[in-house]
Amino acid sequence: MIILSTCSSLTEVIDNTLNPEFVRKFILDYFFEERQNLRFDLRLEKPLGGIPGKKCGTIIVKAEELSNCRESVMMQFCGNKLDKKDFFGKSDPFLVFYRSNEDGTFTICHKTEVVKNTLNPVWQAFKIPVRALCNGDYDRTIKIEVYDWDRDGSHDFIGEFSTSYRELSRGQSQFNVYEVTYCRIELQSYFLYSPLQVTLLSFLVDIEVTFLDYIKGGGENGVLNLNWYFFSLWFLGNPAQPTSLHYMSPYQLNAYAMALKAVGEIIQDYDSDKMFPALGFGAKLPPDGRVSHEFALNGNPQNPYCNGIDGVMEAYYQSLKSVQLYGPTNFSPVINHVARYAASVKDGSQYFVLLIITDGVISDMAQTKESIVNASCLPMSIIIVGVGPAEFDAMVELDGDEVRISSRGRYAERDIVQFVPFRDYIDRTGNHILSMARLAKDVLAEIPDQFLSYMRTRGIKPSPAPPPYTPPGHPLQTQI
C-alpha cells in the first residue's frame, strides 16, 4: 500500500507480492485562481526508504495529462476453455486490463474479480471511465491478460490479447471474440485444436453528467430556476448583551450574521429570483409570548420570503427586536417544514437546501434523526453551521460521512447533512474575508454530490443547455 500525502489518498492493498502494480489512480485538481507548484515526470523511479541499512525496493510513478472525456463504459466478459492451472481443481481465472501509454509502455487500469474453480468463467459487469481505459483515444491499444489466481500471490499467467476501445464499441459480435495467445508459457499441443477464448458479452456507454450540466440546463441564462434555500436560525440569549452570539454590535457582524452572509452570498447566485424563505426557531412570539420552533423572520407566516441575502439579514435584525429568545433547540419542525415542500416536487424540477445556524445542543435528537431519514429520499439537503463554544458531538452524528444515520432500524437512503463548526474558521489575525470564504467553501462542498446522488438514483437527466446568446442584429452563423 502507498500513502500519497499531497492528496491524502491511499492505494489499494495487494497481498503477497514484492512487485505490486497498483490500479488506483490519483487525479489532482487544477485551480486557475491558485498557484500550484507541481513537478510531473513521465516516468519517475525512486528507491524506497524507511528501514536503515535495508533495501526496501523501488517505486515507479507515471503521469499523463488526462483528456476531457466524460464517457464511462459498462462491460462484461466471459471465458471459454481456459487453461487448467491447478493440480487438484480447475483454474480460478481473472482479467487484468492495461492502458497503453504515449511512450509504448502499459499501465494497469482494472482487475476483474476472481471466478473460482472453472475453465468457463463469466465475470461480473464492471464500469470504468474511458479516460482510465484509453484516455479518450479510441484507437489506443488495450491489453488484457488472463491469470489463474493463487493464494500466495504468485498468480499463473494463462495468456493475453489486445483490442481497442473502437473495436470494443462494436459490442457483442464476431469481432469481439478474442483468442488468448501465449507469451510466457510453453504452448501445449492439444490447445492447437481447442483455442482459448475470451468473449465480450456486453458494452454499454454512459455519459457522466455533472452538477454544471444541470445548471446549464436549469433555466434562463443557464441559472437554476429553483427555490433552493431555506434559512433557519436558533434564537437563544439576550441580543443586548455583548456575551450573546446574537449581539447587535455597531462595529461588526455577530457570528450568526457572519455565517449567514458568507454562505448566502454564494448561494444566491444559484437562485433565479433570489427570494429566500427565512425561518427562525426557539423564541417567544408577540403578542401572546407563545413558543415557536418554526416562525417567519419577516413576521409574515403567509409569505416568509426575503429579497436576497440583504433581505434575510434585515429580517434577522428586525426579529431580534421583536421576539424573545427562548429554548429548547428542536430541529425536527424546520426539517419537516422543508420536507413538506420537497415531497411535492420529486421530478427533479426543484431541489431544496435547508441552512440551519445554531449555537445549541439538539433537544429532540430522536425526532431529528427520524426527520432526516425520512427526508433522505427527497430532493433536499441540510447544512448545519454550529456557532459558539458548545459541544457539537450530536451534529457530527447527523453528518453521515462516516456512519450512515439511522432511526428505528431504518437507514438514510443517502447522506444529506453537512455540518461545520464556525469556530474552526475564525481568523485570529482578523482577516474575516478569507476565513468566511473558507467557511462558505466547506459548507457548500457536499451539495453538488448530494444533488447528483438524488438525480442519478431517480434517473433524472439534465435538460439540454439553451443555445448561446446572440446579440440583436447578429444572426447565427451556420456552417455549409
Side-chain angles (χ1 to χ4, degrees):
M1 179 177 66
I2 294 177
I3 301 174
L4 191 61
S5 60
T6 55
C7 57
S8 301
S9 298
L10 306 176
T11 67
E12 73 279 14
V13 177
I14 299 179
D15 294 327
N16 297 318
T17 179
L18 300 179
N19 301 289
E21 291 190 68
F22 298 101
V23 175
R24 183 174 179 185
K25 308 299 185 297
F26 301 98
I27 299 177
L28 303 181
D29 292 327
Y30 165 72
F31 299 98
F32 172 78
E33 70 276 11
E34 296 182 10
R35 181 177 182 181
Q36 297 171 273
N37 296 317
L38 301 174
R39 173 184 170 183
F40 289 93
D41 296 87
L42 184 62
R43 183 184 177 98
L44 176 65
E45 188 168 335
K46 293 286 186 180
L48 293 173
I51 302 178
K54 182 178 180 180
K55 291 184 178 180
C56 299
T58 302
I59 182 172
I60 301 173
V61 180
K62 299 180 181 178
E64 181 179 354
E65 182 179 357
L66 291 177
S67 68
N68 186 23
C69 177
R70 294 194 295 158
E71 294 177 344
S72 293
V73 59
M74 179 80 76
M75 294 186 290
Q76 185 176 23
F77 289 84
C78 70
N80 183 39
K81 301 178 182 177
L82 297 184
D83 190 11
K84 181 179 181 298
K85 289 291 181 181
D86 294 339
F87 184 77
F88 290 106
K90 300 177 181 178
S91 293
D92 305 320
F94 65 96
L95 302 178
V96 182
F97 290 73
Y98 295 86
R99 180 188 71 239
S100 61
N101 302 315
E102 294 174 334
D103 63 352
T105 61
F106 287 88
T107 298
I108 186 172
C109 59
H110 181 74
K111 286 181 182 179
T112 69
E113 79 285 3
V114 176
V115 181
K116 291 294 190 71
N117 197 32
T118 180
L119 302 182
N120 300 288
V122 178
W123 290 281
Q124 295 179 10
F126 64 92
K127 189 174 185 179
I128 184 171
V130 175
R131 288 191 306 184
L133 192 62
C134 62
N135 202 17
D137 181 355
Y138 292 177
D139 296 308
R140 184 180 291 201
T141 299
I142 300 168
K143 183 174 70 172
I144 303 171
E145 295 180 342
V146 188
Y147 285 89
D148 171 43
W149 177 86
D150 284 330
R151 187 181 301 275
D152 63 3
S154 61
H155 311 306
D156 298 318
F157 178 77
I158 295 177
E160 66 180 36
F161 61 94
S162 296
T163 183
S164 68
Y165 180 86
R166 193 176 302 279
E167 290 180 9
L168 292 170
S169 64
R170 296 181 179 185
Q172 185 180 22
S173 67
Q174 61 183 8
F175 302 104
N176 280 313
V177 177
Y178 300 95
E179 292 192 5
V180 178
T181 58
Y182 303 86
C183 299
R184 306 181 198 172
I185 63 173
E186 181 181 352
L187 182 63
Q188 299 180 21
S189 59
Y190 67 90
F191 284 121
L192 293 173
Y193 305 100
S194 181
L196 316 184
Q197 292 181 337
V198 171
T199 302
L200 176 67
L201 294 179
S202 62
F203 185 92
L204 181 63
V205 179
D206 183 34
I207 304 297
E208 178 189 357
V209 295
T210 66
F211 185 62
L212 185 59
D213 291 324
Y214 287 93
I215 293 179
K216 289 179 179 179
E220 184 180 1
N221 298 325
V223 179
L224 281 174
N225 189 20
L226 308 175
N227 288 322
W228 271 27
Y229 304 98
F230 289 73
F231 297 89
S232 184
L233 299 99
W234 184 46
F235 285 68
L236 184 64
N238 186 349
Q241 298 294 329
T243 55
S244 171
L245 294 169
H246 290 287
Y247 178 59
M248 298 175 62
S249 169
Y251 305 108
Q252 64 182 17
L253 298 177
N254 63 39
Y256 274 84
M258 289 178 66
L260 185 59
K261 187 175 180 64
V263 178
E265 288 184 344
I266 299 295
I267 64 177
Q268 69 178 353
D269 291 332
Y270 294 95
D271 193 292
S272 58
D273 62 9
K274 294 178 172 54
M275 297 296 294
F276 302 107
L279 307 173
F281 66 104
K284 291 183 177 180
L285 306 184
D288 56 358
R290 65 182 178 87
V291 177
S292 175
H293 294 286
E294 183 186 335
F295 64 92
L297 289 185
N298 63 4
N300 185 352
Q302 282 72 41
N303 184 15
Y305 287 83
C306 302
N307 187 5
I309 294 306
D310 290 339
V312 175
M313 299 282 288
E314 181 181 355
Y316 164 58
Y317 287 131
Q318 290 300 319
S319 66
L320 288 177
K321 300 175 182 178
S322 61
V323 304
Q324 179 184 349
L325 311 187
Y326 194 81
T329 314
N330 292 339
F331 277 21
S332 59
V334 291
I335 295 174
N336 294 336
H337 179 101
V338 179
R340 286 193 293 270
Y341 285 89
S344 65
V345 281
K346 298 181 181 179
D347 60 355
S349 61
Q350 297 193 54
Y351 193 87
F352 299 84
V353 176
L354 169 61
L355 171 62
I356 298 176
I357 305 177
T358 180
D359 63 352
V361 178
I362 301 176
S363 304
D364 63 339
M365 187 64 173
Q367 294 91 334
T368 295
K369 292 170 70 173
E370 183 172 7
S371 296
I372 292 173
V373 170
N374 292 336
S376 65
C377 63
L378 300 175
M380 66 176 287
S381 293
I382 301 170
I383 297 170
I384 303 174
V385 178
V387 297
E391 293 296 327
F392 293 115
D393 293 345
M395 310 295 184
V396 175
E397 182 181 351
L398 298 181
D399 189 337
D401 287 343
E402 296 183 3
V403 179
R404 185 66 56 88
I405 189 172
S406 64
S407 173
R408 300 185 185 184
R410 291 191 306 125
Y411 283 87
E413 180 180 308
R414 57 195 182 92
D415 175 23
I416 64 170
V417 179
Q418 167 77 333
F419 167 72
V420 293
F422 181 82
R423 57 176 174 248
D424 290 353
Y425 299 87
I426 298 176
D427 194 309
R428 306 302 177 187
T429 65
N431 189 343
H432 295 308
I433 295 178
L434 180 60
S435 59
M436 291 306 97
R438 289 176 49 241
L439 171 68
K441 178 181 178 181
D442 287 353
V443 160
L444 301 173
E446 293 186 6
I447 295 299
D449 285 341
Q450 292 177 0
F451 173 89
L452 288 172
S453 71
Y454 178 83
M455 297 300 180
R456 286 170 178 163
T457 56
R458 268 65 184 176
I460 301 172
K461 301 292 185 182
S463 301
Y469 172 72
T470 302
H474 293 76
L476 287 173
Q477 299 279 335
T478 57
Q479 219 174 16
I480 302 177

